[in-house]
Amino acid sequence: VAAGFLMSGGGGNDVQWCFSQVKGAIDDDVAEADIISTVEFNHSGELLATGDKGGRVVIFQQEIENKSQQQCRSEYNVYSTFQSHEPEFDYLKSLEIEEKINKIRWLPQKNAAQFLLSTNDKTIKLWKISERDKRPEGYNLKEEDGRYRDAATITTLQVPVFRPMDLMVEASPRRVFANGHTYHINSISVNSDNETYLSADDLRINMWHLEITDRSFNIVDIKPANMEELTEVITAAEFHPHQCNTFVYSSSKGTIRLCDMRASALCDKHSKLFEEPEDPSNRSFFSEIISSISDVKFSHNGRYMMTRDYLSVKIWDLNMENRPVETYQVHEYLRSKLCSLYENDCIFDKFECCWNGNDSVVMTGSYNNFFRMLDRSQRRDVTLEASRESCKPRQVLKPRRVCAGGKRKKDEISVDSLDFNKKILHTAWHPQENIIAVATTNNLYIFQEKVN
Amino acid sequence: MDVEAKRIMALSISKLYSLRTQRGGLKLHRSLLLSMTMRAARDIYHTAQLLRDAEEEQVVPCAPDAAPEEPMEISKDSPQTLTPKEVAMKPQETVEEDKENRCASERHSRKRRGKTALETDFLPLKKAKMETDEEKQHLQGEVLRTNNGNSCRQAETLTAFPTNRTIVAC
């Protein structure tokens, strides 16, 4: 039982979650540019980055009150904001390229500066975020404001010195990896070698070196010779957390392929194919759509991977290809509503999923601003809500229940009352602590484990 | 069942058309899922139509040519139209099945000119269907086939990689 004194990453249901902070406008009228499109903690959990539809990146930094006490509250405050991508126009194809940030991935920290990769549909950028807290003063030839002094007035010589200044956080683009993708980029993943990373679009996966922007290696290509024979696309890809030769990619047909780059340069032939036979009793017009995998994530220990499709989360053991070891229903009550969800396009929503620090609990989002915590060790699950109504400091989140049919109990919400415009697609879990970031349409909620 | 199929077919087609005007270029994944759903619905709808025709033909036996053909075509058709319901495990199988389905519908559309006219009630007007060069570029990668029998064989537009090379491993 993980609750108590240690801020460990375990115990999903023994943990009581309470509200910590919410970022973003309270306004119900959401500006499209403010829609959050990705959320990611860095490797230490000290920094939390969000990307939005307007191409901006906002980084929050954890500031810990009462460092001396073990049970401490931490707050995330804005650290840096910058415009990562701008809208572009491809003149050859007469197509607009959206500035929306699809993914952010942090590089492990090597020196004082922080680095992250951010990508839109076509271009990946490496950003350096560095702090400046001192500046040189006392130049001989320049005034403090930069104007050059009249040489005739200079009678003494001094050595400029560094003096403290107000902290300034600067973000500068260090690399731009452009023109590598014909189709829309859906994933980026930094390799454990800290030198290379992969980027995946609908049909191809490229491997880049972080220092080299004018070329990339194509490692997967599933484009058929005749596009009319296209039957599946790549939906997500990730490098193994420890084995720098291994990566996985998921498809719209519900399969995951594990590839070993040592086997061949072009990894069109997989080393392992993970696929679960479909349950014929569940077949419908929409079976294809709901089996499409929207996210794939390796566990921190590298032994498992998790996939998210429209209705479920599956945990796979890398040593077993024919079926997942665990399957969790996220919102099974939607299975009878698939036709309506097809009409309003919600069936195409791409939900992400994430692991906690010690791989004992997984989390994913749903509708009505609900999100689900699935405890693997205790085989229990809970539904929580990110709402402005539960925003009192340290207010404990109450479990929510959806009534699928029949008599609705008190405190339950019926399926037809769910707000399908309020969807939680992006969530992130602090790598070590029980701190989670949950993105609603335009707000970022931060919840923490209740400390007594 | 076929009412539902027809509705889903119409819905899919209108969604596919609206994809072309969306910002950010054609979304390949979405258009693939839409066209798969549309095809599955279309196959169900066609099967239902043929079954209805068969019933009508048997009731009115004064078309001797058609009657013996009908049962044969239906029996040929049923295994093919069952395939969207069956699990397609391997991409290669799916490709062949799709080809069979496409051929079947093409065959029928040629034989039953009267029937294809019925389908146009939920398709956009012919004027709207005429493609400009711009739209042809948008169609790159789209798998929707039109019903007039002409395949949309789009020449792939060249993507300029001025300063960049993606090295394809052999």
Side-chain angles (χ1 to χ4, degrees), chain A residues 87 92-99 121 178-180 182-184 202-203 206 208 213-218 223 226-233 235 252-253 257 265-266 275 277-278 283 285-286 288-289 292 339 342-345 348 350, chain B residues 4-5 7-8 11-12 15 23-30 32-34 36-37 40-41 44 84-87 89 91 94-95 98-99 102 137-138 140-141 143 145 151-153 156-169:
Chain A
L92 268 176
K93 292 193 210 170
S94 291
L95 290 176
E96 209 184 339
I97 300 167
E98 280 188 284
E99 67 276 31
D121 284 338
N179 299 323
T182 309
Y183 301 95
H184 295 133
D202 293 314
L203 298 178
N206 293 336
W208 306 77
T213 58
D214 65 352
R215 78 189 74 164
S216 67
F217 284 89
N218 176 242
K223 181 168 190 261
N226 182 357
M227 277 299 274
E228 288 178 11
E229 289 168 7
L230 181 73
T231 55
E232 69 182 322
V233 297
T235 53
S252 54
K253 273 193 170 327
R257 286 172 176 80
L266 188 59
E275 190 174 14
E278 193 190 344
R283 189 107 183 109
F285 284 118
F286 311 107
E288 296 274 3
I289 303 179
S292 177
C339 198
Y342 184 69
E343 270 183 87
N344 64 16
D345 281 344
F348 299 106
K350 294 187 182 161
Chain B
E4 178 78 349
R7 196 169 80 87
I8 291 171
L11 201 54
S12 308
K15 283 180 192 292
R23 202 176 160 235
L26 184 76
K27 291 185 171 29
L28 191 62
H29 185 195
R30 175 90 53 118
L32 179 68
L33 293 176
L34 285 170
M36 279 182 163
T37 309
I44 304 289
K85 285 185 173 177
E86 283 167 6
V87 176
M89 294 292 277
T94 317
V95 168
D98 274 347
K99 281 188 173 155
R102 280 208 300 268
Q137 285 176 358
H138 283 282
Q140 179 194 355
V143 296
R145 291 175 66 88
S151 12
C152 303
R153 293 197 190 283
E156 186 167 31
T157 44
L158 289 172
T159 321
F161 295 139
T163 56
N164 216 344
R165 282 178 301 151
T166 300
I167 295 171
V168 178

Side-chain angles (χ1 to χ4, degrees), chain A residues 84-86 116-119 123-127 175-177:
Chain A
S84 171
H85 287 72
E86 299 273 7
L116 62 77
L117 287 170
S118 69
T119 187
T123 304
I124 306 131
K125 294 187 184 180
L126 176 68
W127 288 89
R175 305 272 186 276
V176 177
F177 303 91

Side-chain angles (χ1 to χ4, degrees), chain A residues 101-258:
Chain A
I101 308 296
N102 293 336
K103 285 279 162 26
I104 289 172
R105 290 289 183 262
W106 290 93
L107 268 57
Q109 192 173 11
K110 275 196 235 180
N111 52 39
Q114 300 277 358
F115 288 86
L116 62 77
L117 287 170
S118 69
T119 187
N120 69 350
D121 284 338
K122 296 287 183 184
T123 304
I124 306 131
K125 294 187 184 180
L126 176 68
W127 288 89
K128 177 181 178 183
I129 295 106
S130 47
E131 291 183 3
R132 193 193 290 270
D133 62 357
K134 36 187 176 297
R135 63 158 177 253
E137 284 178 20
Y139 283 102
N140 290 293
L141 301 175
K142 280 196 282 189
E143 303 284 3
E144 292 306 326
D145 60 8
R147 280 180 303 143
Y148 279 95
R149 291 167 71 182
D150 182 2
T153 63
I154 300 169
T155 53
T156 58
L157 208 58
Q158 62 184 345
V159 177
V161 292
F162 275 105
R163 294 213 191 281
M165 58 180 258
D166 288 338
L167 178 68
M168 204 165 75
V169 181
E170 301 171 322
S172 58
R174 304 304 283 179
R175 305 272 186 276
V176 177
F177 303 91
N179 299 323
H181 289 277
T182 309
Y183 301 95
H184 295 133
I185 297 174
N186 52 55
S187 313
I188 47 174
S189 176
V190 184
N191 205 349
S192 51
D193 65 9
N194 287 337
E195 288 185 355
T196 56
Y197 74 94
L198 63 75
S199 58
D201 68 29
D202 293 314
L203 298 178
R204 299 190 177 104
I205 302 179
N206 293 336
M207 191 166 95
W208 306 77
H209 192 284
L210 285 164
E211 300 289 327
I212 300 168
T213 58
D214 65 352
R215 78 189 74 164
S216 67
F217 284 89
N218 176 242
I219 52 177
V220 173
D221 188 339
I222 63 166
K223 181 168 190 261
N226 182 357
M227 277 299 274
E228 288 178 11
E229 289 168 7
L230 181 73
T231 55
E232 69 182 322
V233 297
I234 297 168
T235 53
E238 198 181 49
F239 266 121
H240 191 278
H242 313 135
Q243 295 164 17
C244 57
N245 54 287
T246 304
F247 66 93
V248 291
Y249 69 93
S250 59
S251 84
S252 54
K253 273 193 170 327
T255 63
I256 309 101
R257 286 172 176 80
L258 184 137

Side-chain angles (χ1 to χ4, degrees), chain B residues 34 69 72 88:
Chain B
L34 285 170
E69 275 178 26
M72 264 199 19

Side-chain angles (χ1 to χ4, degrees), chain B:
Chain B
M1 177 60 154
D2 59 325
V3 172
E4 178 78 349
K6 181 175 172 181
R7 196 169 80 87
I8 291 171
M9 199 165 42
L11 201 54
S12 308
I13 290 172
S14 72
K15 283 180 192 292
L16 276 162
Y17 273 97
S18 71
L19 262 190
R20 298 183 192 184
T21 54
Q22 267 178 25
R23 202 176 160 235
L26 184 76
K27 291 185 171 29
L28 191 62
H29 185 195
R30 175 90 53 118
S31 64
L32 179 68
L33 293 176
L34 285 170
S35 44
M36 279 182 163
T37 309
M38 194 274 300
R39 265 190 237 153
R42 184 185 63 190
D43 293 336
I44 304 289
Y45 180 61
H46 276 169
T47 321
Q49 271 201 312
L50 289 162
L51 284 169
R52 255 186 285 126
D53 294 343
E55 285 169 19
E56 284 168 24
E57 297 281 353
Q58 281 162 12
V59 167
V60 184
C62 47
D65 291 335
E69 275 178 26
E70 294 297 348
M72 264 199 19
E73 284 180 83
I74 289 163
S75 61
K76 262 193 228 153
D77 212 38
S78 359
Q80 288 162 358
T81 50
L82 274 175
T83 48
K85 285 185 173 177
E86 283 167 6
V87 176
M89 294 292 277
K90 307 253 188 307
Q92 297 91 354
E93 281 174 25
T94 317
V95 168
E96 282 156 38
E97 284 159 3
D98 274 347
K99 281 188 173 155
E100 285 172 7
N101 287 335
R102 280 208 300 268
C103 292
S105 60
E106 268 183 327
R107 221 186 309 131
H108 288 299
S109 68
R110 262 183 262 132
K111 273 199 167 148
R112 312 216 163 281
R113 291 215 170 79
K115 299 297 171 195
T116 47
L118 279 178
E119 287 166 12
T120 56
D121 58 356
F122 51 78
L123 285 174
L125 295 169
K126 277 213 151 108
K127 266 191 189 167
K129 268 164 80 172
M130 282 199 36
E131 294 158 316
T132 60
D133 280 332
E134 226 177 73
E135 280 187 15
K136 275 189 177 154
Q137 285 176 358
H138 283 282
L139 280 173
Q140 179 194 355
E142 196 184 84
V143 296
L144 171 67
R145 291 175 66 88
T146 60
N147 273 329
N148 58 15
N150 297 324
S151 12
C152 303
R153 293 197 190 283
Q154 306 297 335
E156 186 167 31
T157 44
L158 289 172
T159 321
F161 295 139
T163 56
N164 216 344
R165 282 178 301 151
T166 300
I167 295 171
V168 178
C170 332

